[in-house]
Amino acid sequence: MLIHLCNSMSEDDCLLKKLEISVSEAEKRTGKNAVNMQETYTSYLVETRSLEPPAEGQNSPLDALWRRYSEFELLRNYLSVSYPFVVVPPLPEKRAEFVWHKLSADNMDPDFVERRRIGLENFLVRVASHPMLCHDKIFHSFLTQESGWKEAVNEAGLQMKTDSRLKALNATFRVKNPDKRFTELKHYSDEVQSVISHLLRVRARVADRLYGVYKVHGNYGRVFRYAASIDDILEEEEHYADQLKEYLFYAEALRAVCRKHELMQYDLEMSALDLASKKQQSEELATGTIRTFSLKGMTSKLFGQETPEQREAKLKLLEEQIVEGEEQLKLRNVESREFVKNSWLEIERFKEQKNRDLKEALISYAVMQISMCKKGIQVWTNAKECFSKM
């Protein structure tokens, strides 16, 4: 699936053409957490090797360092905040979902850890193949520096740039003129999540049924000299399920882009309202007429009108605020148009990738199922021949 990732960009822009990236192994470790309590966790070995031609007689050095899953999470959060219009590749699941009943849901299970290792490698390759994310300095530090990259994240102001969930939720419900394209994108992401969730649930039920069938076939295989390896079959099943799960999690990445646009649109609308309010205040102050009920109007009636000097000072302040508000509104409009333009290019890129990857995965899954069925037919053909000779 990953061989197509660099197709949509120039050879020079793709980091994968310059750097070989892998998560080669996983290791269970024990240590103390932030509150000084003992915990068991899994650490993953990230290896990189330059693909640039080495000096004559020398080999390209291999850089290797260990990373925890939480560090991958920090990296992804940083990328999501720093590149709000990008559909940032998702991480593999932290705990197993959509598992059939014979499969362990323990996040320390060796088979699950191995699948997560593959998923983390896929995440790094996806980021390294992205035309913008691959140039990020902190991403490079994550790959090549044992320490110091977290401090760089803090210096980049991740906490300051992170929008609160409450504010984003507020924007979702209070935007007066939502962009129809992003509303449709939310519906699209919901549909992607719904369809893939249904596929994964069906696959889990099919895996349960296949397990029973192939156990029977395995028993017949011992009699009729045929071996049906149920473990190999189900291991391959999980590989295709993980490919589907990646796009299940991509649905949330799409919704994140929509939320960021809603927040931007909300700020834009608030700036426009604030500017309109100040212009009205300036007009009322200049003409001495109050068109709407306000606390200031009531105060003037109760305590008398302001002096000409006070009015002049307020008018001057309002004019400065109006000029500042117009500049801010203009800037927000430019930022909004730029966000929409960039995010839509990104979304079209994602859709092409999704269609290509899922088509490839589902075809391979169908081929695997056909191969299994042929093996099953062979079991019964052998049985029929055996019985006919009796």
Side-chain angles (χ1 to χ4, degrees):
M1 184 185 293
L2 297 176
I3 59 174
H4 306 292
L5 286 170
C6 292
N7 288 358
S8 60
M9 62 197 77
S10 69
E11 295 287 311
D12 293 335
D13 279 343
C14 185
L15 183 62
L16 289 181
K17 296 295 180 182
K18 302 175 183 177
L19 198 68
E20 180 184 325
I21 302 171
S22 66
V23 179
S24 58
E25 62 179 279
E27 182 179 282
K28 186 185 289 188
R29 294 183 175 184
T30 303
K32 291 186 177 181
N33 58 21
V35 291
N36 208 33
M37 293 182 66
Q38 201 78 359
E39 65 172 349
T40 301
Y41 60 91
T42 305
S43 202
Y44 300 88
L45 184 62
V46 177
E47 294 184 334
T48 55
R49 187 192 300 274
S50 174
L51 296 178
E52 301 286 347
E56 189 175 347
Q58 295 182 356
N59 293 323
S60 296
L62 179 70
D63 289 324
L65 43 81
W66 292 93
R67 296 285 188 225
R68 294 184 61 173
Y69 184 89
S70 58
E71 293 178 286
F72 282 88
E73 285 183 310
L74 179 60
L75 172 65
R76 189 183 181 280
N77 288 340
Y78 159 76
L79 294 173
S80 182
V81 169
S82 301
Y83 304 90
F85 54 85
V86 171
V87 183
V88 179
L91 292 171
E93 58 194 348
K94 196 164 188 175
R95 289 174 177 77
E97 298 177 23
F98 298 100
V99 297
W100 57 290
H101 79 276
K102 289 289 182 181
L103 200 67
S104 173
D106 179 12
N107 65 339
M108 300 301 285
D109 177 74
D111 291 335
F112 173 73
V113 169
E114 172 60 15
R115 293 198 308 277
R116 191 202 277 172
R117 180 197 66 77
I118 294 170
L120 291 173
E121 180 177 300
N122 185 56
F123 165 74
L124 294 180
V125 171
R126 292 276 194 204
V127 175
S129 71
H130 192 278
M132 183 170 291
L133 301 182
C134 72
H135 296 296
D136 188 87
K137 291 181 179 179
I138 289 179
F139 174 57
H140 282 251
S141 298
F142 178 89
L143 294 174
T144 58
Q145 295 181 16
E146 186 70 47
S147 60
W149 75 276
K150 289 183 183 178
E151 288 74 14
V153 169
N154 293 329
E155 287 173 11
L158 177 62
Q159 293 300 324
M160 291 176 66
K161 286 193 265 183
T162 301
D163 300 311
S164 72
R165 291 182 177 272
L166 186 60
K167 187 177 179 183
L169 185 64
N170 187 45
T172 300
F173 289 106
R174 295 186 64 178
V175 168
K176 293 181 179 178
N177 299 301
D179 190 317
K180 290 182 179 179
R181 291 170 297 179
F182 285 90
T183 301
E184 290 171 0
L185 180 62
K186 278 206 291 188
H187 294 154
Y188 171 78
S189 65
D190 290 341
E191 185 179 4
V192 167
Q193 187 174 39
S194 174
V195 169
I196 294 180
S197 295
H198 180 68
L199 271 173
L200 287 167
R201 281 192 292 268
V202 170
R203 189 213 68 89
R205 290 198 296 269
V206 170
D208 276 328
R209 192 171 298 177
L210 281 173
Y211 182 80
V213 169
Y214 276 87
K215 276 298 182 184
V216 173
H217 285 182
N219 293 331
Y220 282 120
R222 285 191 289 272
V223 177
F224 302 116
R225 297 177 184 177
Y226 169 77
S229 176
I230 184 63
D231 294 330
D232 291 344
I233 290 167
L234 293 175
E235 185 177 334
E236 195 171 356
E237 280 257 337
E238 289 307 314
H239 169 69
Y240 292 118
D242 288 339
Q243 289 179 332
L244 290 177
K245 285 179 183 179
E246 181 186 16
Y247 280 94
L248 179 71
F249 305 141
Y250 256 123
E252 176 55 31
L254 286 173
R255 283 195 289 271
V257 173
C258 293
R259 286 195 298 270
K260 289 163 190 170
H261 178 263
E262 285 168 346
L263 192 57
M264 186 172 284
Q265 180 66 20
Y266 177 72
D267 288 340
L268 178 64
E269 291 178 2
M270 290 300 101
S271 293
L273 282 173
D274 185 57
L275 179 60
S277 174
K278 282 184 169 54
K279 284 182 175 181
Q280 182 180 324
Q281 289 176 45
S282 177
E283 184 183 341
E284 290 174 351
L285 202 58
T287 61
T289 58
I290 300 174
R291 291 182 294 175
T292 57
F293 173 80
S294 68
L295 182 60
K296 287 185 178 179
M298 287 296 295
T299 303
S300 296
K301 287 182 180 181
L302 289 171
F303 302 104
Q305 296 293 326
E306 296 167 320
T307 65
E309 292 78 11
Q310 289 174 321
R311 188 182 300 112
E312 189 66 29
K314 283 191 175 181
L315 269 171
K316 186 178 179 181
L317 178 61
L318 278 169
E319 284 170 4
E320 291 174 358
Q321 290 174 342
I322 287 169
V323 170
E324 185 182 328
E326 285 174 340
E327 287 298 318
Q328 186 183 55
L329 185 61
K330 191 185 297 183
L331 180 62
R332 288 194 188 280
N333 271 306
V334 170
E335 288 176 346
S336 180
R337 286 195 294 270
E338 201 66 24
F339 181 94
V340 171
K341 176 186 172 184
N342 290 332
S343 61
W344 222 249
L345 288 172
E346 177 70 15
I347 287 157
E348 289 304 316
R349 177 183 177 276
F350 163 78
K351 286 182 177 179
E352 288 179 11
Q353 172 192 298
K354 182 211 72 171
N355 292 340
R356 183 174 61 241
D357 288 352
L358 289 184
K359 180 180 178 182
E360 181 182 319
L362 292 172
I363 288 174
S364 298
Y365 181 73
V367 169
M368 182 202 73
Q369 293 288 342
I370 291 169
S371 174
M372 287 197 302
C373 290
K374 285 180 177 178
K375 289 178 181 179
I377 290 171
Q378 188 60 48
V379 169
W380 295 107
T381 301
N382 292 346
K384 180 180 177 183
E385 289 176 0
C386 185
F387 283 124
S388 64
K389 292 175 182 179
M390 289 181 178

